[in-house]
Amino acid sequence: MKILLMGPPGAGKGSQSEKLVKDYELTNISTGEMFREAYRNNSPLGIEAMRYINKGELVSDEITNEIVRKRLLRSDAERCFLLDGYPRTVAQAEALDKMLEKMQSKLNAVINIVVDKQAILERMVGRRVCKSCGSTYHLSFKPPRVDGVCDSCGGELYQREDDQLDSVKNRLEIYETKTKPIIDYYSKRGILRNVDGMQSFDAVYKDIKQALGEVI
Ligand code: AP5
Ligand code: MG
C-alpha cells in the first residue's frame, strides 16, 4: 500500500499519520520530519534546509527530491509507505512519478485533508512537538498528561520555530500557489479522496480509513 497524505500546513497530516503507520504497518516518510532530524544531527543539509523552513519557505525541489529518492531506495519502503508533506509542488509530483516508475510501482491513494484557514492558525499556534520522538500535541485540543512532557517517551515538548505567525502566513500562501495545484494532478487519476479535517481526531481518522477502502 502506497499512500500520500496531503493538506495545508497544520491540517493534521502528522497527527493522522502517527496512527495510520501503526495500523497499516507503513513506513512513514515525512520530508518535514526528515529535514528537522537532519538539523538535529547538525548535518549540512539540515542546516541549509532550516534556513528556508524557519521562514516558512519551501526547500528547493532539487534537495527535496534527492532526499526522497534516497529514502525510497531503502528496503523498508519497498512495499508499503505513507508520504506526508511530499510532493508539495507539481515538479515534485512529476519527479515522484519517475522515481516510482523506476521501482515499477505507483501510488494507490491520495488523501487530502481539508481544513479552513482559521482552524489552521489555531492548530499551529497551539502545537507542541516532542524533541525526542516527534509526537505532536496541542495545548487545547490534545494536551499532554504532564505539562511540557511527552506522554509517549517523556521527552521535552517544544514549539516549532515555523509555527510563529509570520512563517505560518507564508506557508499558507505558498500552499495556495505551489501545493494546491497537485490536488488537480492526482484527482485526474481518480485516486484522490477529500476528507473533512474539521472534525475530531477520531472522526477524521475514521473517514480516512473509509476513503482508503474506496480506492485500494
Ligand atoms: P512539514 O513538517 O511537512 O509541515 P507542514 O506541511 O507545514 O505541516 P505541519 O507539520 O505544520 O502540519 P500537519 O498537517 O502535520 O498537522 P499536525 O498533525 O502537526 O514541513 C515543514 C517545512 O519543511 C515546510 O514548511 C517546508 O519549508 C519544508 N518542507 C517539507 N516538505 C517539503 C517539500 N516536499 N518541499 C519543500 N519543502 C518542504 O497538526 C497541527 C496541530 O493541530 C497539532 O497541534 C495537532 O495536535 C492539532 N490537530 C490536528 N488534527 C486536529 C483535529 N482533528 N482537531 C483538533 N486539533 C487537531
Ligand atoms: Mg506535520
Side-chain angles (χ1 to χ4, degrees):
M1 196 192 279
K2 286 160 183 151
I3 303 172
L4 160 60
L5 198 55
M6 59 177 295
K13 302 180 295 294
S15 304
Q16 297 297 333
S17 62
E18 281 175 30
K19 284 185 88 176
L20 281 166
V21 295
K22 280 187 198 143
D23 288 358
Y24 291 88
E25 295 180 13
L26 305 167
T27 295
N28 194 8
I29 303 180
S30 156
T31 39
E33 208 36 65
M34 284 160 81
F35 288 136
R36 284 187 288 275
E37 196 191 340
Y39 180 75
R40 283 195 294 273
N41 294 335
N42 262 321
S43 85
L45 180 139
I47 293 164
E48 170 73 7
M50 203 49 75
R51 286 179 33 219
Y52 297 92
I53 294 174
N54 284 344
K55 287 187 275 183
E57 287 167 12
L58 292 182
V59 179
S60 75
D61 287 340
E62 235 179 329
I63 292 178
T64 312
N65 289 334
E66 189 53 18
I67 61 154
V68 174
R69 192 187 65 78
K70 284 191 182 139
R71 184 65 189 85
L72 287 177
L73 289 175
R74 279 165 54 183
S75 58
D76 61 351
E78 215 171 280
R79 281 186 49 246
C80 302
F81 61 71
L82 174 81
L83 286 171
D84 159 4
Y86 178 91
R88 246 179 167 91
T89 62
V90 171
Q92 290 181 13
E94 288 167 352
L96 175 65
D97 276 345
K98 287 200 184 116
M99 291 175 214
L100 293 175
E101 212 176 291
K102 264 195 180 160
M103 297 164 70
Q104 294 177 318
S105 177
K106 62 178 171 41
L107 285 178
N108 306 112
V110 178
I111 302 292
N112 181 38
I113 305 181
V114 183
V115 179
D116 69 39
K117 222 172 179 173
Q118 189 51 41
I120 289 172
L121 293 175
E122 268 172 23
R123 287 183 184 185
M124 292 213 269
V125 168
R127 170 166 52 195
R128 295 296 180 272
V129 182
C130 176
K131 265 188 184 164
S132 312
C133 72
S135 291
T136 303
Y137 298 86
H138 190 282
L139 294 179
S140 313
F141 309 136
K142 192 187 172 191
R145 283 193 293 271
V146 179
D147 224 16
V149 180
C150 177
D151 292 351
S152 315
C153 75
E156 186 191 336
L157 303 185
Y158 80 107
Q159 182 171 31
R160 273 169 46 179
E161 181 80 30
D162 60 340
D163 280 346
Q164 307 294 329
L165 203 58
D166 278 352
S167 296
V168 169
K169 283 186 183 155
N170 214 3
R171 283 156 72 195
L172 281 171
E173 246 178 68
I174 290 174
Y175 171 77
E176 289 294 326
T177 54
K178 302 242 170 94
T179 308
K180 246 188 171 173
I182 305 181
I183 296 176
D184 210 33
Y185 185 88
Y186 288 117
S187 58
K188 280 182 187 148
R189 290 191 197 171
I191 56 167
L192 183 133
R193 291 290 179 276
N194 290 312
V195 166
D196 178 9
M198 297 293 296
Q199 315 178 73
S200 69
F201 288 92
D202 290 346
V204 176
Y205 190 66
K206 193 167 155 254
D207 284 0
I208 291 177
K209 282 181 90 164
Q210 192 186 331
L212 287 176
E214 285 171 18
V215 272
I216 292 176

